[in-house]
Amino acid sequence: MIAAVAETIETGDAERLRALAGDLHEADLGDLIQALEPDLRPGLVELLGSAFHFAALTEVDESVRLQILEGLPTQTIVDGLRELDSDDAVYILEDLEDEDRKKILDRLPLPDRAALVRALDFPEEAIGRLMQTDFVAVPPFWTVGRAIDYLTELGEDGPETFYEIFVIDPVFRLEGTVSLDKLLRSSRTAQLKTVLNDEVRSFEALEDREDVARQFQRYNLVSAPVVDPENRLVGVVTIDDIVDVIQQEADEDLKALGGVFGDEELSDTVRETARSRFPWLAINLCTAFITATIIGLFSDTIERMVALAALMPIVASMGGNAGTQTMTVTVRALTHRELGRRRIRWIISREMLVALVNGVALSIILGGVAAAWYRNPELGVVIGTALIINMVVAGLFGALIPITVHRLKFDPAVASGVFLTTATDTVGFFAFLGIAAWWFGLW
Amino acid sequence: MIAAVAETIETGDAERLRALAGDLHEADLGDLIQALEPDLRPGLVELLGSAFHFAALTEVDESVRLQILEGLPTQTIVDGLRELDSDDAVYILEDLEDEDRKKILDRLPLPDRAALVRALDFPEEAIGRLMQTDFVAVPPFWTVGRAIDYLTELGEDGPETFYEIFVIDPVFRLEGTVSLDKLLRSSRTAQLKTVLNDEVRSFEALEDREDVARQFQRYNLVSAPVVDPENRLVGVVTIDDIVDVIQQEADEDLKALGGVFGDEELSDTVRETARSRFPWLAINLCTAFITATIIGLFSDTIERMVALAALMPIVASMGGNAGTQTMTVTVRALTHRELGRRRIRWIISREMLVALVNGVALSIILGGVAAAWYRNPELGVVIGTALIINMVVAGLFGALIPITVHRLKFDPAVASGVFLTTATDTVGFFAFLGIAAWWFGLW
């Protein structure tokens, strides 16, 4: 398929290309674009002409999208954007350089341009960026029958898809919503004001998209009105965009916990990837020097009892693992807003208790093995004690660090890992070497 | 609020409780239940009586749900389940013991019982568990007008909410779907067969819920028909359940990468939590012994040059971090099905290159600092070389391990971390101590 399409683009056979790719769903077309050699991509768009649905550009990585847009004449982009719902057009425009974006916007008809400029003025995290400005709004005194007939007359006009209509007063203030199934199930003679749902979950355009996504999820919403501070209807957000937000948030948390920035994409170059990952590694290097300093304090101890050098990473790594477990659970609870003030105190003590229970169990195993291995029961006691201490500290910090980062209004997934391993390494080496030095009199 | 509700339950004031909690959305009611003392929870359900919407039980943790169901008379549960859509009823029934479930099912009317038993027969991961068996299906020769009138007559009967109607032949085979907005926008006199969408994305009941969720996301679906192998319509899945699947999958990946089992819940007891986390820690302890053995091989070397003991964790930890970055990106790409065969070879080489680039940069810093600190330039060269080796190996294994785990049909998020740190620790200590021993002739 990809090879056939590539060949068709090279030979410029528009008809064959339309036969091959003209009927693809935008998601599949996006995949096809992504799989093509970069220099063939703009050719595909131009050759497909009006059969190319620009929504496919919302399905490819940012770097691929920018590369295609750079390779296309402005007029082609303008024509493509006019076919799109406003939220998709915004998505395509938002990553462009200001200058390129202005060139495109200037050629759009005024009403389209005004809607897009307004949407682009919202901050990137605001729900206003994701809203559609095309919707169906009707007055409360209309009957169900009249609303149905109005929709029949609407035909192909209006939004591409919708799941509810909005009931507004003369100055566009939202009075309620009527879902399409509710509309269809109501008597034709009933007035809309008697069938509308007036307990509407509406959002202001500046609200954070994550918060809105959580509400969609919580209340099983499929679409929701966006209003201005005077409760005037300005747009609608739909579940398809919200699903993307949910997925994106989850991806960002996953990546952040793994020490990768959220905007790293698979199609980034080696240079971009290396550069974006370097800061985390550099920070980790700095904290590793702290660990090295701690160990350095005990060089005499290690010199006299070199077994300690072999055993010390065990204590540190077990603490790191236990702490990561706690941190993972805590970060997840924080991002899902599952932690009230009362529960925070409770989760910290629970995590420390869990760490204590597992610490005792594992320290018996570790202490036993170490004692047998080095034929030194006292060494077993020392390493077992150090393990319990480090695991309880790991439980404490594993919960405390993300909670503190969250209180300081940062994303708890981003920086917690670095702080945590610094804590568990430092405490792990210090506890083990310190107790050993004191116990064996090697200080 | 919680205190007032608790007091009302204790005094048994049904009217006041209905005033306080009767109008809550099921999600908010679920939160309220979760916040109450366990022994008050069944009382809330009984006191609210018919004002308690059993859907709230789908919003609480499994352990809380089971505790409430155990505290309720069977008839109360039966009455509550009858009010629910089949997918919610299945969700509540599926965690019960076989015996308790049978007692409840036996008291349900036959059609409800049959649908639930059939749904519960599907494996837990199958989409059949999430489907609704109540839907609107009409013949293709009906006109749009007749379908609309049929829905008006349906009134409150039929599914609680729906977004499309299904067009079927006399033996229930699916011919297509008509979304409600499409139905409303079409001419009343048009036959359904002329307006239906016949490129339907339908699913078989046994398909994996994750795969279905990916399709929903990819094609922006809001609901989709479920069919049997003969393409006969048996149910419908809706986006609200799919959103939960997406969220759950993301959570499971996040937890698995953090060494926590996916079914751990915040409401679990200390004992349950400790027990569920223990296996990972025990595995980590075993692999830590491998690391200790490697270091033990070099005890003579360390004894003669104790600086090595302080520096060796740096090499291991940097490798661990770089490897985790690669692993995170790879796991994410695997779960999103972004990796074809050609891309796999490409991602492995890209990750090794990225690791090499950052490894060289960081080894200059690390080597420089180590050389200055210990006034030993050769030590700088040794640790720098070891770092580059360990980081490239980390890049290789960080990609290779999850890809291999995935090929073996396991979840790449679950076990990759343990293998990876074993690899980076082993290689890190071995490379550094080995090169040092050879370079300084301390073998």
Side-chain angles (χ1 to χ4, degrees):
Chain A
M1 170 77 180
I2 295 163
V5 169
E7 198 199 299
T8 317
I9 297 171
E10 273 163 358
T11 59
D13 184 345
E15 205 167 318
R16 184 155 170 244
L17 187 62
R18 268 199 295 276
L20 279 170
D23 288 333
L24 287 180
H25 185 280
E26 59 204 52
D28 299 320
L29 190 54
D31 273 8
L32 174 64
I33 292 172
Q34 193 115 347
L36 281 178
E37 293 295 323
D39 50 321
L40 290 175
R41 290 169 187 157
L44 173 100
V45 179
E46 293 203 82
L47 211 53
L48 271 179
S50 62
F52 180 79
H53 193 19
F54 260 63
L57 292 185
T58 65
E59 307 279 343
V60 300
D61 283 354
E62 182 186 328
S63 51
V64 175
R65 182 163 55 247
L66 288 177
Q67 181 248 329
I68 294 173
L69 291 174
E70 272 166 29
L72 286 177
T74 309
Q75 194 55 45
T76 308
I77 303 176
V78 170
D79 295 340
L81 291 181
R82 289 187 60 181
E83 300 294 315
L84 293 185
D85 279 342
S86 60
D87 54 339
D88 287 338
V90 166
Y91 190 85
I92 290 176
L93 284 171
E94 64 187 0
D95 303 322
L96 286 177
E97 301 282 336
D98 286 349
E99 203 181 315
D100 296 335
R101 187 160 60 206
K102 197 172 169 309
K103 256 196 283 184
I104 295 168
L105 284 170
D106 283 347
R107 296 214 202 172
L108 281 167
L110 187 61
D112 291 0
R113 193 198 314 161
L116 293 180
V117 167
R118 198 171 47 169
L120 286 163
D121 269 347
F122 291 118
E124 213 179 320
E125 294 302 310
I127 198 66
R129 279 277 182 110
L130 294 179
M131 78 185 179
Q132 250 266 68
T133 49
D134 217 356
F135 47 76
V136 178
V138 293
F141 55 82
W142 277 20
T143 60
V144 167
R146 183 158 178 202
I148 291 178
D149 295 343
Y150 171 75
L151 291 173
T152 310
E153 281 158 36
L154 195 66
E156 294 295 303
D157 292 338
E160 220 180 285
T161 46
F162 57 100
Y163 311 104
E164 56 187 355
I165 60 173
F166 302 103
V167 179
I168 53 171
D169 75 4
V171 293
F172 254 72
R173 269 195 305 256
L174 185 68
E175 300 206 341
T177 63
V178 186
S179 64
L180 295 187
D181 67 327
K182 174 79 181 170
L183 184 73
L184 282 161
R185 270 132 73 108
S186 303
S187 153
R188 275 188 70 89
T189 54
Q191 280 200 313
L192 289 179
K193 64 178 152 209
T194 64
V195 302
L196 59 75
N197 167 24
D198 57 2
E199 288 193 0
V200 186
R201 293 177 203 282
S202 62
F203 301 99
E204 284 196 27
L206 282 172
E207 277 185 68
D208 185 82
R209 55 210 267 171
E210 288 182 51
D211 291 337
V212 175
R214 252 188 300 274
Q215 304 270 324
F216 261 75
Q217 219 173 332
R218 187 174 169 81
Y219 299 112
N220 295 338
L221 306 180
V222 166
S223 76
V226 180
V227 294
D228 71 7
E230 274 79 50
N231 196 34
R232 282 180 305 226
L233 185 63
V234 293
V236 50
V237 231
T238 49
I239 185 75
D240 53 324
D241 294 323
I242 294 297
V243 166
D244 293 341
V245 172
I246 293 171
Q247 186 68 61
Q248 209 176 322
E249 290 309 317
D251 277 353
E252 277 174 16
D253 281 349
L254 187 83
K255 286 185 184 170
L257 282 172
V260 179
F261 280 103
D263 53 1
E264 185 180 316
E265 285 178 339
L266 220 51
S267 57
D268 288 349
T269 62
V270 169
R271 188 198 167 96
E272 287 163 343
T273 311
R275 190 178 282 181
S276 110
R277 291 193 197 164
F278 184 82
W280 283 123
L281 296 172
I283 293 172
N284 185 65
L285 185 57
C286 297
T287 68
F289 282 125
I290 300 176
T291 313
T293 313
I294 299 281
I295 301 172
L297 294 177
F298 295 95
S299 23
D300 291 352
T301 314
I302 295 171
E303 214 161 12
R304 285 195 260 166
M305 191 169 179
V306 77
L308 300 179
L311 292 173
M312 65 186 190
I314 301 183
V315 180
S317 113
M318 292 299 290
N321 274 273
T324 304
Q325 290 180 330
T326 297
M327 180 180 74
T328 305
V329 174
T330 312
V331 165
R332 192 193 151 281
L334 287 169
T335 51
H336 289 267
R337 300 276 189 280
E338 287 182 345
L339 289 184
R341 194 164 287 267
R342 225 174 45 147
R343 268 201 136 178
I344 282 182
R345 235 173 312 161
W346 168 82
I347 204 176
I348 294 175
S349 34
R350 187 190 75 154
E351 289 299 326
M352 287 179 71
L353 258 174
V354 168
L356 180 66
V357 170
N358 279 338
V360 169
L362 292 162
S363 76
I364 293 172
I365 304 174
L366 174 58
V369 173
W373 196 325
Y374 291 96
R375 294 169 201 282
N376 184 342
E378 292 179 65
L379 189 58
V381 173
V382 168
I383 197 168
T385 313
L387 181 65
I388 294 176
I389 294 174
N390 199 28
M391 283 195 54
V392 174
V393 169
L396 172 65
F397 280 100
L400 209 56
I401 291 172
I403 289 170
T404 311
V405 172
H406 182 71
R407 283 252 172 103
L408 299 173
K409 308 280 176 210
F410 293 105
D411 182 349
V414 172
S416 297
V418 178
F419 292 121
L420 178 66
T421 47
T422 309
T424 53
D425 276 357
T426 313
V427 173
F429 289 120
F430 190 82
F432 179 52
L433 296 173
I435 296 175
W438 168 75
W439 184 286
F440 297 111
L442 302 173
W443 187 239
Chain B
M1 170 75 180
I2 295 162
V5 169
E7 198 199 300
T8 318
I9 297 171
E10 273 163 358
T11 59
D13 185 346
E15 206 167 314
R16 186 156 169 243
L17 186 63
R18 267 200 295 276
L20 279 169
D23 288 333
L24 288 180
H25 185 279
E26 57 204 54
D28 299 319
L29 190 53
D31 274 9
L32 174 64
I33 292 172
Q34 194 116 348
L36 281 177
E37 293 296 322
D39 50 324
L40 291 176
R41 290 169 188 157
L44 173 100
V45 179
E46 294 203 79
L47 211 52
L48 272 178
S50 61
F52 180 80
H53 193 19
F54 261 64
L57 291 184
T58 64
E59 307 279 343
V60 300
D61 283 355
E62 183 186 328
S63 50
V64 175
R65 184 164 52 248
L66 289 177
Q67 182 248 329
I68 294 174
L69 291 174
E70 272 166 28
L72 286 178
T74 309
Q75 193 56 46
T76 309
I77 303 176
V78 170
D79 294 341
L81 291 181
R82 289 187 61 180
E83 300 295 313
L84 293 184
D85 279 342
S86 60
D87 54 340
D88 287 338
V90 167
Y91 190 84
I92 290 175
L93 285 170
E94 66 187 359
D95 303 322
L96 286 178
E97 301 283 336
D98 287 349
E99 202 180 316
D100 296 335
R101 187 161 58 207
K102 197 173 170 310
K103 256 197 284 184
I104 296 168
L105 285 170
D106 283 347
R107 296 214 202 170
L108 282 167
L110 187 61
D112 291 0
R113 193 198 316 162
L116 293 181
V117 167
R118 197 170 48 172
L120 285 163
D121 270 346
F122 291 119
E124 214 181 320
E125 294 302 310
I127 198 67
R129 280 277 182 110
L130 294 179
M131 78 184 177
Q132 251 266 68
T133 49
D134 216 356
F135 48 77
V136 179
V138 293
F141 54 82
W142 277 20
T143 60
V144 168
R146 182 157 178 201
I148 291 179
D149 295 343
Y150 172 74
L151 291 174
T152 310
E153 281 159 36
L154 195 66
E156 293 297 302
D157 292 337
E160 222 181 284
T161 47
F162 58 100
Y163 311 104
E164 56 187 355
I165 60 174
F166 303 104
V167 179
I168 55 171
D169 74 4
V171 294
F172 254 72
R173 268 195 306 256
L174 185 68
E175 299 207 341
T177 63
V178 185
S179 64
L180 295 187
D181 67 326
K182 175 78 179 168
L183 183 72
L184 282 162
R185 275 132 80 114
S186 303
S187 152
R188 276 187 69 89
T189 55
Q191 281 201 315
L192 288 179
K193 65 179 153 210
T194 63
V195 301
L196 60 75
N197 167 24
D198 57 1
E199 288 194 359
V200 186
R201 292 177 204 281
S202 61
F203 302 99
E204 284 196 28
L206 281 172
E207 277 185 67
D208 186 80
R209 54 210 268 171
E210 289 182 51
D211 292 335
V212 175
R214 252 188 300 275
Q215 304 269 326
F216 261 75
Q217 219 172 330
R218 187 174 170 82
Y219 299 113
N220 295 338
L221 306 180
V222 167
S223 77
V226 180
V227 294
D228 71 8
E230 275 79 51
N231 197 32
R232 282 180 304 226
L233 185 63
V234 293
V236 51
V237 232
T238 49
I239 184 76
D240 54 324
D241 294 322
I242 295 297
V243 166
D244 292 341
V245 172
I246 294 171
Q247 186 67 64
Q248 208 177 321
E249 290 310 318
D251 276 354
E252 276 172 19
D253 283 349
L254 187 82
K255 286 185 181 170
L257 283 172
V260 179
F261 280 103
D263 54 1
E264 184 180 317
E265 285 179 341
L266 219 51
S267 58
D268 288 349
T269 62
V270 169
R271 189 197 164 97
E272 287 163 345
T273 312
R275 190 178 283 180
S276 111
R277 291 194 197 162
F278 185 83
W280 283 123
L281 295 172
I283 293 172
N284 186 64
L285 184 58
C286 297
T287 67
F289 282 124
I290 302 176
T291 313
T293 313
I294 299 280
I295 300 173
L297 294 177
F298 294 95
S299 23
D300 291 350
T301 314
I302 293 172
E303 215 161 13
R304 286 194 257 165
M305 190 171 180
V306 76
L308 300 180
L311 291 174
M312 64 184 189
I314 301 183
V315 180
S317 115
M318 292 299 291
N321 275 273
T324 304
Q325 290 179 329
T326 297
M327 180 181 73
T328 305
V329 175
T330 311
V331 165
R332 193 192 151 283
L334 287 169
T335 52
H336 290 268
R337 301 275 188 283
E338 287 182 348
L339 288 184
R341 194 164 288 265
R342 223 175 44 150
R343 270 202 133 177
I344 283 183
R345 234 173 312 162
W346 168 84
I347 204 176
I348 294 175
S349 33
R350 187 191 73 153
E351 288 298 326
M352 287 179 72
L353 258 174
V354 168
L356 180 65
V357 171
N358 279 337
V360 169
L362 291 162
S363 77
I364 294 172
I365 303 174
L366 174 58
V369 174
W373 197 325
Y374 293 94
R375 296 169 197 283
N376 185 342
E378 292 179 64
L379 189 58
V381 174
V382 168
I383 197 168
T385 314
L387 182 65
I388 295 176
I389 293 174
N390 199 28
M391 282 195 54
V392 173
V393 170
L396 172 64
F397 280 101
L400 209 55
I401 291 173
I403 289 170
T404 311
V405 172
H406 182 72
R407 282 254 173 101
L408 300 174
K409 308 279 177 214
F410 293 104
D411 181 350
V414 172
S416 297
V418 178
F419 292 122
L420 178 66
T421 48
T422 309
T424 52
D425 277 356
T426 314
V427 173
F429 290 120
F430 190 82
F432 178 52
L433 295 173
I435 296 174
W438 168 77
W439 185 286
F440 296 112
L442 300 173
W443 187 237

